[in-house]
Amino acid sequence: MSAPRVLLFDSGMGGLTVARAVRTQLPGAHLVYSADNAGFPYGAWKEADLAKRIVLVLGALIERVEPAIVVIACNTASTIALAQLRDAYKVPFVGTVPAIKPAAAQTKSGIIGVLATPGTVSREYTHALIHTYAYHCKVFLHGAKRLAEIAELKLKGRPVDMDELREEIAPVFRKRDGQKTDVVVLGCTHYPLLVEDMLKVQPWLVKYIDPAPAIARRVADVLDETPLKEAEKTVPVHNSVLLTAARGQAADSLAAYAAMGFDHPEFLDLPV
Ligand code: DGL
């Protein structure tokens, strides 16, 4: 039996932070990364249009890759489309949603910050997580308009604009009744790519929660329970990256994907 094929999906390069953790957790797995770079960024899409787009793109990807499991390595996509994806396709899905529950368990001050895309911050799903797990905490949500793009530019080799970064993270650093934010949830898979830069502009020390290792453990558990099948056709090789934009539009990101280990690009040409 061949290695289990794991399809990772994000709007762009953020899911690489999850791919990295899955690679560490499951070194023998056959990883295929995919990005809806034609639709990036997802943060500002209308909910109904985005859910439709994600179901369509995943249909094409599942057909091409025949994965044993799909990891939706994107909070913006998981909080809007996970249920519809599970209804539409038989393959098991592991999603990524803001790590509110661990944050509520770890905060000592009772003040939690959540950095996410404007889409994730507005979702019913996110508010339900807070209501269920962090009802006893003060939670400051910030829909960051530019952070995902700043992270992508960084991976493409551009310098991070530290003033812009400082402004984008400032709204979750808050004080209340002599206490201050001590835990910040990275509620978008792009943001762990910027943690070392955040450390330089944060107003005080906090703990950042990157959910990637927990997602990787969940992937391993689900795979343990999933019977593996041989692929019926030639699937993309290990460490392929499948992109929805045409080759010409993705040129500046290919080196970044290759640097993160995904060096066999394939172009699905699924324009928005
Ligand atoms: N990486 C994605 C997330 O986890 C979204 C980035 C974007 O497309 O705006 O939410």
Side-chain angles (χ1 to χ4, degrees):
M1 184 56 66
S2 53
R5 261 182 327 283
V6 178
L7 172 64
L8 297 124
F9 172 80
D10 182 30
S11 55
M13 300 175 175
L16 291 169
T17 61
V18 177
R20 192 162 58 187
V22 171
R23 207 182 258 138
T24 306
Q25 180 80 32
L26 295 165
H30 176 143
L31 301 191
V32 177
Y33 190 82
S34 61
D36 184 11
N37 60 335
F40 178 85
Y42 273 179
W45 275 65
K46 286 213 193 78
E47 290 200 358
D49 296 346
L50 183 58
K52 228 159 93 191
R53 167 81 186 166
I54 292 166
V55 172
L56 176 121
V57 170
L58 262 300
L61 288 167
I62 290 167
E63 157 102 31
R64 173 72 189 101
V65 179
E66 297 185 359
I69 189 167
V70 179
V71 185
I72 304 296
C74 174
N75 295 259
T76 315
S78 298
T79 51
I80 190 70
L82 208 47
Q84 291 180 49
L85 287 168
R86 287 184 172 133
D87 283 346
Y89 307 111
K90 279 208 295 282
V91 60
F93 285 90
V94 170
T96 312
V97 298
I100 310 276
K101 189 179 176 185
Q106 291 175 44
T107 180
K108 294 199 169 58
S109 68
I111 304 179
I112 297 170
V114 179
L115 287 171
T117 65
T120 300
V121 161
S122 68
R123 301 273 192 268
E124 206 33 60
Y125 195 115
T126 305
H127 293 273
L129 286 175
I130 294 172
H131 188 73
T132 309
Y133 299 114
Y135 53 87
H136 54 299
C137 300
K138 185 79 204 137
V139 181
F140 290 101
L141 281 166
H142 175 55
K145 290 203 178 71
R146 289 268 311 138
L147 274 186
E149 284 170 86
I150 297 173
E152 296 239 330
L153 289 172
K154 177 180 176 181
L155 276 196
K156 290 175 187 167
R158 309 257 186 70
V160 174
D161 179 332
M162 297 309 248
D163 292 330
E164 195 177 19
L165 183 66
R166 184 180 295 108
E167 253 173 60
E168 279 284 38
I169 69 168
V172 298
F173 285 81
R174 303 285 276 265
K175 294 181 180 162
R176 274 285 184 287
D177 305 325
Q179 298 287 348
K180 50 191 186 184
T181 308
D182 62 349
V183 176
V184 172
V185 175
L186 300 173
C188 167
T189 51
H190 280 73
Y191 301 170
L193 297 166
L194 292 169
V195 162
E196 60 188 52
D197 308 285
M198 292 181 188
L199 294 174
K200 293 182 192 147
V201 294
Q202 62 190 12
W204 58 79
L205 208 66
V206 292
K207 177 167 195 258
Y208 292 99
I209 301 192
D210 171 4
I215 297 162
R217 286 194 295 276
R218 178 79 193 129
V219 172
D221 288 348
V222 174
L223 275 178
D224 271 348
E225 297 154 13
T226 308
L228 295 185
K229 288 190 299 195
E230 284 296 347
E232 283 160 19
K233 55 180 181 260
T234 314
V235 294
V237 297
H238 175 53
N239 284 337
S240 292
V241 50
L242 272 49
L243 300 167
T244 57
R247 179 183 285 270
Q249 287 159 270
D252 63 342
S253 56
L254 297 186
Y257 283 116
M260 296 289 274
F262 293 93
D263 50 4
H264 302 276
E266 210 177 291
F267 303 92
L268 301 180
D269 208 0
L270 291 170
V272 171

